[in-house]
């Protein structure tokens, strides 16, 4: 059993969800449309679309919104979006990977660079930090899905590689190739997941506290406020005590 993990996408912090719900729905819709456009509009036949729909449901996105996002793919919306990845360094020696869906590379690059510069970070070249991460599959369940032992047993039976559980929930890690087979097996045992996605998992987490932690969270918030940014991954760990001090 892996130890407790403080490695969380900042979008999942309590309190941030409601404030960013409108922006979150927009980003979820964009991912659904692009996923449907790249494959088939049937979630059962399109693993990426299924993952996007599950993520939307986990954020209580209305069914009508989800269907509208899928329908947009049939009329050509999503054609102009491309996936872009940025890599950089944040306060406290943290490495960050920023994933975006954009229809204007110049706009997105400028916004991301500005966010780094204004919040104590530096945008790096492609490959500058990703070598310190593994590209893996990540399946997330709420704490209510079961005890750590129950989740661990289900994950082993499903063929997962690792599990991390804490009071907030369970993270189940897989290889890229096994992500969707494991997710389907877990769904049969535990119900629908909160999210199923490709992730960047850090090889060596970095503890961040004090002023650096506050500035890092501001940087991540600034990045995620951009409409084009879908996900921000990092190798940071911020303790519960530091989070409480930061409010």
């Amino acid at each position: 059993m892996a130890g407790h993990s403080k490695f969380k996408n900042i979008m999942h912090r309590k309190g941030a969800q409601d404030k960013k719900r409108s922006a979150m729905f927009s980003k979820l819709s964009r991912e659904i449309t692009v996923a449907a456009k790249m494959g088939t509009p049937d979630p059962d036949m399109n693993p990426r679309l299924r993952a996007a729909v599950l993520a939307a449901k986990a954020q209580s996105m209305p069914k009508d919104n989800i269907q509208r996002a899928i329908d947009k793919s049939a009329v050509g919306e999503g054609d102009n979006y491309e996936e872009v990845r940025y890599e950089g360094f944040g306060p406290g020696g943290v490495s960050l990977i920023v994933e975006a869906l954009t229809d204007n590379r110049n706009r997105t690059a400028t916004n991301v660079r500005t966010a780094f510069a204004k919040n104590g970070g530096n945008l790096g070249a492609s490959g500058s930090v990703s070598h310190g991460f593994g590209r893996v599959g990540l399946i997330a369940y709420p704490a209510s899905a079961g005890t750590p032992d129950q989740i661990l047993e289900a994950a082993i039976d499903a063929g997962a590689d690792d599990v991390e559980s804490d009071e907030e929930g369970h993270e189940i890690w897989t290889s890229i190739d096994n992500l969707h087979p494991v997710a389907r097996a877990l769904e049969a045992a535990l119900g629908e997941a909160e999210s199923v996605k490709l992730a960047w998992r850090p090889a060596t987490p970095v503890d961040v506290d004090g002023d650096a932690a506050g500035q890092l969270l501001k940087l991540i918030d600034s990045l995620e406020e951009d409409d084009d940014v879908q996900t921000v991954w990092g190798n940071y760990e911020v303790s519960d005590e530091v989070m409480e001090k930061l409010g």
Side-chain angles (χ1 to χ4, degrees):
M1 183 72 186
H4 294 303
S5 172
K6 295 297 185 295
F7 169 57
K8 301 286 186 184
N9 183 310
I10 220 69
M11 283 174 64
H12 294 152
R13 283 186 302 153
K14 288 181 172 61
Q17 292 179 358
D18 291 338
K19 295 178 184 177
K20 299 180 180 179
R21 188 163 299 276
S22 178
M24 188 183 299
F25 281 2
S26 176
K27 294 180 182 188
L28 290 167
S29 294
R30 184 179 298 189
E31 169 62 17
I32 289 170
T33 300
V34 170
K37 189 70 182 179
M38 292 178 67
T40 168
D42 181 357
D44 289 333
M45 302 297 292
N46 182 337
R48 178 170 174 173
L49 176 57
R50 179 170 176 76
V53 169
L54 284 175
K57 287 181 177 179
Q59 297 302 330
S60 302
M61 187 170 173
K63 289 183 180 179
D64 288 348
N65 293 39
I66 294 173
Q67 190 57 50
R68 275 198 300 271
I70 293 174
D71 292 343
K72 285 181 179 179
S73 67
V75 296
E77 291 196 35
D79 285 352
N80 298 326
Y81 288 115
E82 59 179 321
E83 295 176 292
V84 186
R85 186 177 81 232
Y86 302 95
E87 303 180 27
F89 304 90
V94 164
S95 297
L96 297 173
I97 296 177
V98 182
E99 295 180 319
L101 279 175
T102 181
D103 57 359
N104 187 324
R105 272 178 171 260
N106 290 335
R107 177 193 67 224
T108 308
T110 298
N111 291 347
V112 170
R113 185 177 293 107
T114 299
F116 271 92
K118 286 186 175 181
N119 294 281
N122 292 287
L123 188 62
S126 177
S128 58
V129 304
S130 56
H131 59 83
F133 292 75
R135 191 59 164 159
V136 295
L138 172 61
I139 304 163
Y141 275 91
S144 59
T147 66
D149 286 343
Q150 289 171 333
I151 300 299
L152 178 61
E153 183 177 354
I156 292 173
D157 290 343
D161 293 337
D162 193 14
V163 180
E164 295 179 347
S165 296
D166 60 23
E167 66 277 4
E168 293 181 1
H170 312 280
E171 292 177 340
I172 300 163
W173 303 88
T174 76
S175 67
I176 294 176
D177 292 340
N178 285 341
L179 174 59
H180 292 288
V182 170
R184 285 189 176 277
L186 287 171
E187 184 174 336
L190 303 172
E192 285 191 351
E194 278 189 330
S195 67
V196 179
K197 65 178 74 173
L198 292 178
W200 292 95
R201 191 181 193 188
T204 307
V206 175
D207 288 319
V208 185
D209 58 18
D211 292 340
Q215 196 168 28
L216 172 63
L217 296 183
K218 287 181 180 178
L219 168 57
I220 295 172
D221 281 338
S222 178
L223 288 167
E224 291 193 334
E225 285 170 2
D226 189 278
D227 290 341
D228 297 333
V229 173
Q230 293 292 104
T231 318
V232 179
W233 303 96
N235 65 345
Y236 58 89
E237 289 195 348
V238 181
S239 70
D240 291 341
E241 291 76 16
V242 172
M243 288 295 292
E244 287 177 7
K245 290 179 181 178
L246 294 173

